[in-house]
Amino acid sequence: MAYSEKVIDHYENPRNVGSFDKNDPSIATGMVGAPACGDVMKLQLKINDNGIIEDAKFKTYGCGSAIASSSLVTEWVKGKTIEQAGEITNTTISEELALPPVKIHCSILAEDAIKAAIEDYKSKR
Amino acid sequence: MGFTSLNYFELFNLSFQFDVDVEAIAGTYRDLQRAVHPDKFAHQGERQKLLAVQKSAEVNDAYQTLKNPLLRALYMLAEQGVDIQLEQKTLQDPIFLMQQMEFREQLEDISQMDEGDEQDQLIASFENSIKRLTADYYCQLGTLLVSSCKVSLENAAIVVRKLKFMNKLSDELERLEETIL
């Protein structure tokens, strides 16, 4: 299976890899896993008092498509409000990365990671 | 040769439960394959022969499913109407996933160590912890899968999803061991 250029770019130069302190009240952490392949993804958002995402970091153990999906999402969410970030769907992610059908679950993982992080943010307040 | 309506457990003359004697079903498998072997129907016309080929494939599918605990669990869930949706549904259990992350980080650390006794010991203890956890999950399935309440079956589905991650860990461990050898 051939990866698209965008996937390879994100895979070789992943953006925003790393972690924030999960106990910091401005940090929201979303943990999700894809049972189909055993991939695990952690997405962290740094959210200011106005509900705007100032920064994002991720750590993903998984295939190229899973890493690319999470890397892309960290770029997309920056500067967005949590409501706008919550509207990102797996379809837009998989279209942007030209993911083949067998890799759609990677984009679902990234979408659910954003949602899980937003849930964590809401529960912390 | 009329067993198309039987489920895999009935086909192998087992009661519908998660614990299966894998050695015993290997024997049943051989008996069943002998009984439906297409050669036996060589003189009985094309239709019978085709039927025998189908039965033989079915016996094979049943055996592959029954002898593998994860496939067996998935089959038992499906038979009871639970669609596990492995492709569409993500797992969102922060504590379990945090632990998975830690396991993956440990493996990463071990793979970057110098080869030697210390690395071997860490691999052995890693293998032990994932084996123990995996055994615990299978133990839970034993009771959850034969319960008639829906909640238990849904919990069984969660355990099966977790086992997919445990299997991934042991695959990754195997891969690491291969690079060392």
Side-chain angles (χ1 to χ4, degrees):
Chain A
M1 179 200 59
Y3 282 124
S4 71
E5 268 174 45
K6 280 179 182 161
V7 171
I8 292 168
D9 179 38
H10 276 282
Y11 181 69
E12 288 180 346
N13 313 291
R15 332 295 200 252
N16 311 304
V17 175
S19 295
F20 294 120
D21 174 10
K22 68 175 189 324
N23 298 316
D24 179 336
S26 70
I27 300 300
T29 304
M31 295 279 304
V32 284
C37 52
D39 290 357
V40 203
M41 186 180 289
K42 179 172 80 177
L43 176 71
Q44 290 187 301
L45 309 175
K46 187 175 171 56
I47 301 168
N48 71 17
D49 294 338
N50 303 321
I52 291 171
I53 299 164
E54 290 185 331
D55 203 357
K57 284 196 188 300
F58 83 94
K59 186 161 193 183
T60 293
Y61 285 97
C63 65
S65 304
I67 289 166
S69 297
S70 29
S71 170
L72 175 72
V73 153
T74 57
E75 282 193 321
W76 275 0
V77 294
K78 277 193 212 177
K80 284 193 162 75
T81 63
I82 52 168
E83 288 78 19
Q84 289 166 337
E87 286 164 6
I88 295 174
T89 63
N90 76 80
T91 323
T92 46
I93 299 167
S94 58
E95 276 170 9
E96 173 70 15
L97 295 172
L99 296 180
V102 290
K103 291 292 179 182
I104 297 299
H105 64 260
C106 299
S107 60
I108 297 177
L109 197 61
E111 176 191 326
D112 286 356
I114 303 175
K115 298 215 159 81
I118 293 172
E119 278 305 307
D120 183 52
Y121 175 73
K122 288 179 177 159
S123 72
K124 268 183 163 177
R125 288 160 55 96
Chain B
M1 284 213 311
F3 49 58
T4 15
S5 57
L6 299 180
N7 74 34
Y8 291 169
F9 287 86
E10 290 163 342
L11 182 56
F12 273 69
N13 204 15
L14 298 165
S15 51
F16 191 78
Q17 57 181 33
F18 182 65
D19 294 313
V20 158
D21 182 344
V22 177
E23 268 176 51
I25 63 167
T28 315
Y29 171 65
R30 281 190 298 270
D31 294 343
L32 283 169
Q33 278 302 17
R34 226 172 284 134
V36 299
H37 198 285
D39 286 355
K40 282 184 74 168
F41 303 90
H43 308 293
Q44 297 191 19
E46 287 305 314
R47 212 184 145 268
Q48 284 295 337
K49 251 197 292 187
L50 185 70
L51 214 58
V53 171
Q54 283 169 356
K55 301 284 184 207
S56 169
E58 191 185 341
V59 166
N60 195 42
D61 285 346
Y63 178 56
Q64 300 304 330
T65 303
L66 291 174
K67 76 171 180 180
N68 177 313
L70 196 60
L71 294 180
R72 192 192 311 143
L74 283 167
Y75 179 76
M76 288 180 76
L77 283 171
E79 280 291 298
Q80 293 175 96
V82 179
D83 176 9
I84 179 148
Q85 294 187 295
L86 281 178
E87 288 285 337
Q88 296 89 17
K89 250 176 113 183
T90 57
L91 183 77
Q92 309 203 2
D93 176 334
I95 295 166
F96 175 80
L97 291 165
M98 214 64 98
Q99 183 193 41
Q100 286 295 307
M101 275 269 168
E102 279 164 22
F103 276 132
R104 293 295 195 96
E105 282 161 6
Q106 275 178 33
L107 263 187
E108 215 170 39
D109 292 343
I110 294 172
S111 71
Q112 283 158 9
M113 288 174 69
D114 292 330
E115 288 179 23
D117 289 350
E118 199 190 342
Q119 193 191 40
D120 293 346
Q121 273 166 20
L122 284 172
I123 288 177
S125 85
F126 186 90
E127 194 169 5
N128 257 332
S129 357
I130 63 170
K131 269 194 181 149
R132 209 172 327 124
L133 264 175
T134 306
D136 276 353
Y137 286 129
Y138 279 124
C139 182
Q140 291 177 33
L141 281 182
T143 42
L144 290 173
L145 276 171
V146 290
S147 165
S148 52
C149 33
K150 203 151 184 288
V151 181
S152 299
L153 291 177
E154 276 158 14
N155 283 331
I158 292 171
V159 173
V160 168
R161 288 194 195 101
K162 288 181 176 174
L163 278 163
K164 292 284 287 182
F165 289 89
M166 298 310 297
N167 281 6
K168 175 73 178 182
L169 279 177
S170 73
D171 289 349
E172 292 286 314
L173 178 68
E174 242 172 66
R175 216 163 45 177
L176 170 66
E177 284 175 318
E178 276 165 17
T179 61
I180 291 168
L181 286 172

